Amino acid sequence: MTVLLFVLGVLVFVVGLLGSVALHEAGHLVPGKLFRVKVTQFMIGFGRTLWSRQRGETEYGLKAIPLGGYCKLVGMVPPNADAGATATMVRSRPTGMFAQLASDARDAEYEHVDPADHGRLFYDKPWWQRLVILGSGVAINLVLAFGLFAMTFMGYGVYQATTTVSGVSECVIAVTAATADQPQRDCTPDDPASPAREAGFRSGDRFVSINGEPVRTWSQTQRAIRGNGERTATVVVERAGREVTLRPTTTVTTQVTDAEKPTEVSEVGFLGVVPTQERERQDLGYVVTVMADGTWQTLKTIGTLPARVWDAGQAALGLEERDPNGPMSVVGAGRVAGELASEERVPGLDRFFAIITLLAGLNLFLGLVNLVPLPPFDGGQMATTLYETVRRALARLRGRPDPGGVDAAKLLPVTYVMASVILVVSVVLVVADVLAPISLS
């Protein structure tokens, strides 16, 4: 059963991934069709074509490698740098390497362009239409991420710590920077008993007040305990329908106080109780906060990606431990989805929505990474379009001739370099996910 659940989790993730890619490409296809751009192909995946159907001028299909997709909008590369040229203009053959690349790209772009297609090519469209076509794919991913987060957090809920005690710690175990990210060890006879155990706390006790201050949330309770130091506290709990006063003497120990910095520890007051977790539906503000935090974390990840990929490569070679918060490939994400699905100790709906959250995070990443202003990302074409628009506007303001459009073909060397970088990063992460995978256990 565990193996079947693992496979099911991977399949759910793969279907969700392909659906996300399809919707991203549909974000280019639909406005492209609305603005009458000639679209010749709409493909999900790369490599050998597994299935395709021709509908009008567009071929729709699936390819063998499910790692992306593309929507072929004819005219992404202009016929030449001369704004007044047409797609049928004959040019002498260039001899430079980069010029040859640009020429070959133009030949491939306009091989099947008919005279009737004049005015239907991408570069012919107004700048705002091009931005809508290019930006709609990114918008789809971001809206999908928001929708999946909302479905999970508002529709199903999030487990939150409550003021009810789930368990009482047997002892006090100090945490050091060297052991902060290690699994919690068991108590030993040399460890002191926890203040909560000595004071008589029980499972099911609900905190009412600490030192005369009412507490209604676990965060309030936690702050009061940590701020109590080594003093004796007056704690009122509700037990079996009546209020009971307990007077524990909290101790000072070293604990992790920032979940985002698990190797940094602080000296805080310690009681030794574990809160009960209850699932609560959240409001729209919670979803917005998650999207904002996720966006910031994703941008930081993109900014530090070279160093993180290097660390993953080191881990694959066995030279260091794999960072559990580091980047992973589609292979690694599929593995995590399989582990989530096969964790039989967790309720089925919790596992399902955990995979949905994983897909939401993936869409957030896809949307933001496609805004990088370099080809072959959508942001590269968007930056080129904006640059062209600003350049033409400035020329008009200064009374100068129209400088014409930007020759995107000249950026092909950058495109090839970036494509090579993406390929290398993908290979390194796949190898790392096979040899040194990130695991939930």
Side-chain angles (χ1 to χ4, degrees), residues 197-367:
R197 180 178 175 80
E198 291 187 327
F201 279 82
R202 301 177 186 174
S203 296
D205 287 350
R206 183 180 66 83
F207 284 91
V208 176
S209 66
I210 299 177
N211 293 331
E213 294 293 329
V215 290
R216 296 180 177 84
T217 65
W218 174 247
S219 59
Q220 291 177 324
T221 306
Q222 197 173 45
R223 285 195 297 269
I225 293 172
R226 287 178 170 176
N228 197 64
E230 293 181 325
R231 298 187 298 273
T232 298
T234 301
V235 180
V236 178
V237 299
E238 183 183 295
R239 178 184 296 171
R242 63 188 182 91
E243 292 188 351
V244 177
T245 301
L246 303 172
R247 291 183 172 80
T249 300
T250 56
T251 186
V252 171
T253 186
T254 50
Q255 295 286 326
V256 176
T257 54
D258 188 344
E260 294 186 358
K261 300 177 181 178
T263 58
E264 295 185 11
V265 296
S266 303
E267 290 190 349
V268 295
F270 178 77
L271 179 61
V273 292
V274 180
T276 297
Q277 300 282 333
E278 290 184 0
R279 181 163 48 82
E280 298 177 0
R281 292 180 179 176
Q282 305 299 314
D283 58 14
L284 187 62
Y286 183 90
V287 181
V288 172
T289 300
V290 170
M291 280 288 290
D293 291 343
T295 298
W296 174 239
Q297 293 301 323
T298 301
L299 292 176
K300 289 197 298 183
T301 298
I302 294 173
T304 60
L305 192 60
R308 288 171 174 262
V309 172
W310 173 265
D311 291 339
Q314 294 284 91
L317 297 175
L319 301 178
E320 62 180 67
E321 293 292 325
R322 183 78 183 271
D323 180 4
N325 298 315
M328 55 185 171
S329 68
V330 174
V331 173
R335 179 192 178 98
V336 169
E339 290 190 7
L340 287 170
S342 59
E343 183 53 74
E344 295 182 327
R345 294 171 296 180
V346 178
L349 280 177
D350 287 4
R351 286 178 269 167
F352 173 76
F353 280 102
I355 297 176
I356 295 299
T357 303
L358 182 65
L359 288 170
L362 174 67
N363 274 278
L364 181 60
F365 177 80
L366 289 176

Side-chain angles (χ1 to χ4, degrees), residues 158-201:
V158 180
Y159 283 94
Q160 302 276 21
T162 70
T163 56
T164 301
V165 177
S166 172
V168 178
S169 302
E170 294 291 326
C171 65
V172 180
I173 301 176
V175 174
T176 65
T179 62
D181 57 353
Q182 301 298 317
Q184 183 72 33
R185 66 174 177 83
D186 295 331
C187 293
T188 68
D190 296 330
D191 295 320
S194 71
R197 180 178 175 80
E198 291 187 327
F201 279 82

Side-chain angles (χ1 to χ4, degrees), residues 22-145:
L23 288 172
H24 175 95
E25 299 304 330
H28 300 313
L29 175 73
V30 173
K33 293 280 191 179
L34 289 175
F35 295 139
R36 298 188 66 251
V37 176
K38 184 172 184 177
V39 184
T40 57
Q41 283 188 313
F42 178 87
M43 292 289 175
I44 304 303
F46 297 107
R48 185 171 63 89
T49 301
L50 300 178
W51 170 89
S52 70
R53 287 289 184 274
Q54 190 76 27
R55 293 289 184 270
E57 65 185 9
T58 307
E59 179 189 12
Y60 300 85
L62 294 174
K63 289 184 173 288
I65 305 174
L67 296 179
Y70 62 94
C71 178
K72 178 59 178 174
L73 300 156
V74 178
M76 298 288 285
V77 177
N80 57 46
D82 184 358
T86 65
T88 58
M89 185 174 183
V90 178
R91 304 183 62 206
S92 60
R93 204 67 179 170
T95 56
M97 182 179 67
F98 292 151
Q100 181 68 53
L101 288 174
S103 179
D104 291 343
R106 289 190 181 96
D107 290 345
E109 187 81 1
Y110 295 98
E111 183 179 3
H112 302 293
V113 173
D114 299 322
D117 295 328
H118 182 69
R120 296 193 59 215
L121 306 182
F122 181 80
Y123 79 92
D124 284 329
K125 298 302 178 181
W127 67 270
W128 65 270
Q129 291 186 4
R130 283 181 278 163
L131 283 182
V132 169
I133 294 171
L134 293 168
S136 293
V138 171
I140 287 290
N141 284 129
L142 296 180
V143 169
L144 186 57

